[in-house]
Amino acid sequence: MANLPRLSLDNYFTPVNARISNSKVSDYLASKEYFYKKHIDHTLVEESTDSLTLGKMVDVALTAGTTEAIESEWEVKVLKKDDPEAFERQKSLDSDCLVSAGLMEKTKEMAQTIIDSDFYQEDQKKKPVVQLPLEADLEGMAICGIPDQFFFEERPGNVLQITITDWKTSAPSDCQSPERWLWKIREYGYDRQLANYQYLIQKNLNQLYPRFPGKEIRWVLRHAVIESQKDGRYRVHLYIIDPSVIAESYFEFRRVVKEIAENLKVGKSAFVDKSESWKDA
C-alpha cells in the first residue's frame, strides 16, 4: 500500500485507490473471493446501477447546493430518431454519464426536497466541509472515506462539537420507525461507515481544525434520509445515531481491516470463502 497517489474525488472510485473503505469492508464480509477479484486483481468489473447513480447524483447536487450541478456531470440519453446529432456526440461519452429522463427527473426532485428543507439551510450557515476525501493509517493499512458533510462548533466549557451528516436515499419500508432504520444501518454497514468517518476526521483534525488542541471533543452523528413515497412525493427523515452503536462498529471495522492486511501478506490463497457445513449451523 506504499506510494499511493494523492487521494481525490477523481481517483477515489478507481483501481488507483488501493486504500480500504467501508464499502470494500462490506464486500470482504460478503465474500473474500469477491473482494479479491474486485479490489485486488481487478478482474471483476461491475456496471453501475440506477440506485448507485442516483445516490451519486444527489450527492453532487447537495454538495453544490443546486440541482443544476447534476447536469454538469450527467445528461439524459437520447435516441437517434429524436436527436441524431446528440446521439452521435454521446457515443464518445462514458456510459455512466448517461441516464434516463426518468432518473434525471427523479434525482432532481429528491435533491431539491432536501435543498429546500430547513435542516439543510441551517447546516449551510455553519459552513460545512462537504465531500472531502480523507485518508489515514489503521492497522498498517491505508484507509479512506468521503463524509457527505461535517462541521465544527465551539461550545461552552472548552468543547469542540463535530457533527457528521451522511445523506441516504431509501424506500418507505426502511423508514417506518427509528428501530427499522437502526436495523437498516446495521444490515448495510452504515454504522461502520460513520465509525470510519469519525476515525478519519479525528486523525486529520490537526489540518481540519488547528484550534482543537486542549478541547474536549463531542461527536454528533446523523443520517438525513430521503424517502421515495408511492405517490411520487419525497419525505425527509432525520436520525441522530447513538454513539454506543458507532463505538461497537469501529472495532468491527478495525478487525476486518487488520484481517485484510494479514491476508494480503499471504496472497490470493488467503482470500477463499469458507465452505458451508451443517456442523456450523
Side-chain angles (χ1 to χ4, degrees), residues 31-262:
S31 167
K32 294 179 182 179
E33 295 174 11
Y34 172 79
F35 168 87
Y36 192 88
K37 292 176 181 178
K38 182 177 180 181
H39 301 296
I40 305 302
D41 66 7
H42 307 292
T43 56
L44 177 62
V45 179
E46 296 182 328
E47 293 185 4
S48 181
T49 64
D50 278 357
S51 60
L52 288 174
T53 301
L54 183 147
K56 292 178 181 179
M57 293 167 74
V58 169
D59 282 346
V60 166
L62 298 184
T63 298
T66 173
T67 58
E68 292 179 3
I70 296 174
E71 294 183 346
S72 67
E73 296 193 32
W74 290 272
E75 60 180 84
V76 174
K77 187 175 183 178
V78 301
L79 297 176
K80 186 175 183 178
K81 64 178 182 178
D82 296 328
D83 192 334
E85 184 177 339
F87 178 81
E88 290 301 319
R89 178 181 57 79
Q90 288 183 346
K91 286 183 178 181
S92 62
L93 300 179
D94 187 331
S95 60
D96 288 343
C97 298
L98 302 175
V99 299
S100 67
L103 183 60
M104 178 67 79
E105 181 181 3
K106 178 179 180 179
T107 304
K108 285 186 174 181
E109 290 177 356
M110 293 181 79
Q112 195 63 53
T113 298
I114 294 180
I115 291 171
D116 290 340
S117 67
D118 290 342
F119 88 88
Y120 180 85
Q121 295 300 326
E122 290 169 4
D123 282 355
Q124 300 318 296
K125 295 175 183 178
K126 297 171 183 176
K127 299 180 179 179
V129 180
V130 183
Q131 290 282 303
L132 176 66
L134 295 173
E135 59 182 305
D137 180 81
L138 179 64
E139 297 292 349
M141 289 286 292
I143 65 169
C144 61
I146 307 181
D148 285 331
Q149 172 183 287
F150 61 93
F151 55 80
F152 304 97
E153 295 176 287
E154 295 194 11
R155 298 287 190 174
N158 204 32
V159 171
L160 176 63
Q161 180 168 296
I162 306 174
T163 301
I164 305 174
T165 304
D166 203 17
W167 300 315
K168 299 295 183 187
T169 58
S170 194
S173 59
D174 296 323
C175 304
Q176 293 175 348
S177 68
E179 293 76 19
R180 183 68 179 85
W181 183 249
L182 179 60
W183 181 87
K184 174 85 171 186
I185 287 172
R186 288 171 170 159
E187 180 188 21
Y188 281 81
Y190 296 161
D191 49 351
R192 289 194 315 271
Q193 186 178 47
L194 277 175
N196 184 32
Y197 293 161
Q198 187 177 10
Y199 179 84
L200 289 167
I201 292 171
Q202 180 78 60
K203 286 297 182 180
N204 288 277
L205 207 46
N206 278 322
Q207 292 75 38
L208 295 169
Y209 202 85
R211 301 198 305 273
F212 94 91
K215 296 183 182 295
E216 176 190 346
I217 306 299
R218 181 182 299 159
W219 297 91
V220 178
L221 310 171
R222 314 185 303 187
H223 277 159
V225 186
I226 180 74
E227 169 200 336
S228 302
Q229 299 186 314
K230 293 182 178 179
D231 59 3
R233 293 182 299 112
Y234 302 98
R235 180 182 177 187
V236 176
H237 298 266
L238 302 178
Y239 301 102
I240 298 177
I241 313 302
D242 189 327
S244 64
V245 173
I246 305 307
E248 296 172 5
S249 305
Y250 164 74
F251 290 109
E252 180 188 27
F253 183 82
R254 183 169 194 139
R255 175 187 63 79
V256 176
V257 169
K258 182 178 181 180
E259 188 173 312
I260 292 173
E262 292 172 347

Side-chain angles (χ1 to χ4, degrees), residues 30-33 270-277 279-281:
S31 167
K32 294 179 182 179
E33 295 174 11
F271 293 88
V272 177
D273 294 328
K274 181 181 177 182
S275 179
E276 297 297 328
S277 169
K279 294 179 180 179
D280 302 320

